[in-house]
């Protein structure tokens, strides 16, 4: 199965022949976790091509999905940054080989925090962890989901200038590979509970990211 085909089947473009049940799935399962760059245009094609009796509700759902896609894709990453001023890489999602790198960046922004990033579907899914990952299984660490970052960000170290988004020093704190322990990590992420193994320079072992609360745009998770 080619990389990305699973998520495609849940997107508006891929569901036109599958009926209302799948459309509902697409609208509610993508909540908070959208795939950048792929959803908006196909959705509107779909709306135009398929005027269905229940189109009003479906269109409302698709609008909602698109709104979230904008918030969670690389668009948000790019919008927040002026690349003529910050040394951070500009955001472009890559397709291709399914890779499972992870990185933890120590970010001395207004508040020191650790950015925990897992490679999935051509981007780095990202969480800001104020206290950083813990080696103690009893610890629960708040992890606020942030916008997807481009894969190149995994190499980034440097100082984001004052007045730029996230101003402060970024240091690579840990990097390595992660191994999903769920059969379908994307589905697990959507459902709000992702099990995985980390094998990095500092971190080794199994962790869980579980969604708890938070608003729709910045979901709160716990890193266990
Ligand atoms: Mn950060």
């Amino acid at each position: 199965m080619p990389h990305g085909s699973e998520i495609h089947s849940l997107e508006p473009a891929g569901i036109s022949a599958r009926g209302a049940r799948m459309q509902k799935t697409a609208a509610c399962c993508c909540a908070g976790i959208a795939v950048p760059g792929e959803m908006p245009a196909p959705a509107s094609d779909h709306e135009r091509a398929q005027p269905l009796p229940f189109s009003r509700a479906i269109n409302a759902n698709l609008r909602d999905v698109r709104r979230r896609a904008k918030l969670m894709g690389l668009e948000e990453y790019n919008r927040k940054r002026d690349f003529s001023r910050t040394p951070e890489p500009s955001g472009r999602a890559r397709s291709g080989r399914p890779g499972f790198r992870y990185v933890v960046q120590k970010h001395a922004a207004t508040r020191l925090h650790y950015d925990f990033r897992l490679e999935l579907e051509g981007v780095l899914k990202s969480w800001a962890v104020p206290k950083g990952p813990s080696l103690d299984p009893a610890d629960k660490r708040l992890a606020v989901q942030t916008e997807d970052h481009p894969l190149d960000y995994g190499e980034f170290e440097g100082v984001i200038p004052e007045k730029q988004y996230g101003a402060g020093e970024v240091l690579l704190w840990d990097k390595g590979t992660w191994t999903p322990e769920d059969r379908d990590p994307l589905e697990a992420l959507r459902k709000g509970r992702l099990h995985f193994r980390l094998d990095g320079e500092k971190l080794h072992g199994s962790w869980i990211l579980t969604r708890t609360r938070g608003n729709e745009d910045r979901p709160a998770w716990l890193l266990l």
Side-chain angles (χ1 to χ4, degrees), residues 128-161:
V129 187
K131 292 183 179 175
S134 173
L135 296 173
D136 181 349
D139 281 348
K140 296 175 180 177
R141 293 285 162 90
L142 174 69
V144 179
Q145 190 169 8
T146 56
E147 74 271 22
D148 294 344
H149 278 51
L151 292 185
D152 289 345
Y153 209 94
E155 313 290 325
F156 177 72
E157 278 191 308
V159 177
I160 302 170

Side-chain angles (χ1 to χ4, degrees), residues 81 88 105-109 111 113-117 127-129 146 149 153 160 165-166 170:
R81 291 167 177 81
E88 298 165 291
Q105 282 154 322
K106 187 174 178 179
H107 186 183
R111 282 192 189 172
H113 62 273
Y114 294 78
D115 289 301
F116 180 73
R117 311 189 195 280
W127 290 262
V129 187
T146 56
H149 278 51
Y153 209 94
I160 302 170
Y165 179 73
V170 176

Side-chain angles (χ1 to χ4, degrees), residues 21-98:
R21 191 186 61 78
M22 284 301 290
Q23 287 168 7
K24 276 187 188 153
T25 304
C28 62
C29 289
C30 291
I33 302 154
V35 177
E38 298 194 359
M39 224 169 302
S44 55
D45 287 340
H46 172 71
E47 283 178 40
R48 279 195 298 272
Q50 304 271 320
L52 301 168
F54 46 83
S55 59
R56 200 173 292 177
I58 295 293
N59 287 347
N61 282 343
L62 291 176
R63 269 195 300 278
D64 200 37
V65 167
R66 278 200 298 277
R67 187 179 63 79
R68 291 176 189 186
K70 276 192 187 133
L71 286 166
M72 299 306 293
L74 291 180
E75 280 173 52
E76 183 182 2
Y77 175 90
N78 286 326
R79 181 172 50 71
K80 285 178 171 175
R81 291 167 177 81
D82 177 351
F83 296 104
S84 67
R85 293 175 188 272
T86 177
E88 298 165 291
S90 63
R92 210 167 291 174
R94 280 196 222 140
S95 56
R97 116 206 117 76

